[in-house]
Amino acid sequence: MSKLYIVPTPVGNLEDMTLRAIRILKEADLVLAEDTRTTSVLLKHYDIRARMESHHKFNEHEKVESVRQRILAGETVALVSDAGTPGISDPGFLLVRTCVEAGIEVETLPGATAFVPALVNSGFPCDRFCFEGFLPVKKGRQTKLQQLALEPRTMVFYESPFRLVKTLGQFAEVFGPERQASVSREISKLHDTTHRGTLRELFDYFSATPPKGEIVVVVKGSEA
């Protein structure tokens, strides 16, 4: 039966790929990839010879209708992002919604995503948390931070290495410099590291040691 599969891919170590994900990608009529160059490395590693097309934030609005028609015509399509689970701060939501509204079966495989290891590794409560992804770069950023100042749950953010120091400084200003946090970078890769401390300590550390790679910031919830 034709359907849309959402297939998580490794955020770092290629061994994090599941056996089921490999099988689904081998069986799919079409693999939609955020960046076909990145995905081709993964497919080659597992000897997956699927037909690929690009599907990213710049063309997803144009492609969703054609993808919907192909699935309705009997094709099985698998969507992957460069790393992690599609739809989590990556393209995917629009295609899933379109398929759901069309009555197409959508199946999301469990698998890699960056924020779960960072959350658990932080040492903060993870029975209840809020995932904020990337904060607005400009418009609405301060408003969002003020809204989160008294959030009691553990908060999870994605951030660019180029904006990390600025973000930590803003967190310290709004949440308080003594609020506990952790910064995880390059999860599941060779240089996987987690630094823990107060927001002031983390700001000072990364100001002196510019970070590289993908970053997840976890901030302890407010006790106020």
Side-chain angles (χ1 to χ4, degrees):
M1 179 180 177
S2 61
K3 65 169 68 173
L4 172 67
Y5 283 101
I6 306 300
V7 182
T9 54
V11 296
N13 194 317
L14 291 180
E15 292 180 1
D16 293 338
M17 193 73 170
T18 69
L19 294 175
R20 184 173 173 223
I22 295 170
R23 177 179 62 80
I24 293 300
L25 292 179
K26 286 184 174 181
E27 294 176 353
D29 297 304
L30 174 66
V31 173
L32 297 176
E34 185 177 6
D35 187 328
T36 55
R37 295 166 298 180
T38 299
T39 300
S40 65
V41 175
L42 176 69
L43 300 190
K44 183 177 180 181
H45 182 81
Y46 286 105
D47 193 28
I48 300 170
R49 303 176 186 181
R51 182 160 55 93
M52 270 196 302
E53 288 184 9
S54 64
H55 184 89
H56 46 70
K57 65 180 181 180
F58 302 109
N59 72 359
E60 62 177 339
H61 285 82
E62 303 166 10
K63 295 201 65 169
V64 289
E65 178 58 25
S66 65
V67 173
R68 182 181 75 90
Q69 293 292 348
R70 292 170 78 158
I71 299 174
L72 288 173
E75 291 191 20
T76 295
V77 175
L79 175 67
V80 300
S81 62
D82 288 349
T85 301
I88 305 298
S89 292
D90 279 322
F93 161 72
L94 183 61
L95 180 58
V96 170
R97 184 181 66 181
T98 299
C99 289
V100 168
E101 290 175 348
I104 293 170
E105 184 176 357
V106 178
E107 186 168 351
T108 300
L109 276 60
T113 191
F115 79 82
V116 173
L119 170 63
V120 176
N121 207 35
S122 71
F124 303 140
C126 48
D127 54 336
R128 296 176 66 244
F129 64 91
C130 62
F131 174 71
E132 293 296 329
F134 288 99
L135 287 168
V137 176
K138 294 181 181 178
K139 186 177 180 181
R141 187 178 179 91
Q142 283 299 324
T143 301
K144 171 58 73 172
L145 289 176
Q146 292 295 338
Q147 291 173 346
L148 294 172
L150 296 179
E151 170 59 60
R153 296 170 294 178
T154 301
M155 296 174 283
V156 184
F157 305 87
Y158 285 164
E159 191 50 280
S160 157
F162 307 107
R163 290 194 300 266
L164 176 64
V165 172
K166 178 182 178 181
T167 296
L168 290 173
Q170 291 175 328
F171 283 176
E173 180 181 345
V174 178
F175 301 156
E178 300 306 311
R179 182 82 69 94
Q180 293 288 318
S182 74
V183 175
S184 296
R185 53 177 296 274
E186 296 291 82
I187 290 172
S188 191
K189 298 179 183 176
L190 182 62
H191 301 292
D192 183 338
T193 58
T194 295
H195 293 273
R196 304 175 184 85
T198 65
L199 287 168
R200 175 190 287 130
E201 290 169 341
L202 291 170
F203 173 82
D204 290 342
Y205 175 81
F206 286 106
S207 293
T209 312
K212 296 180 181 179
E214 302 294 326
I215 291 171
V216 183
V217 182
V218 183
V219 181
K220 189 175 182 182
S222 172
E223 297 178 354

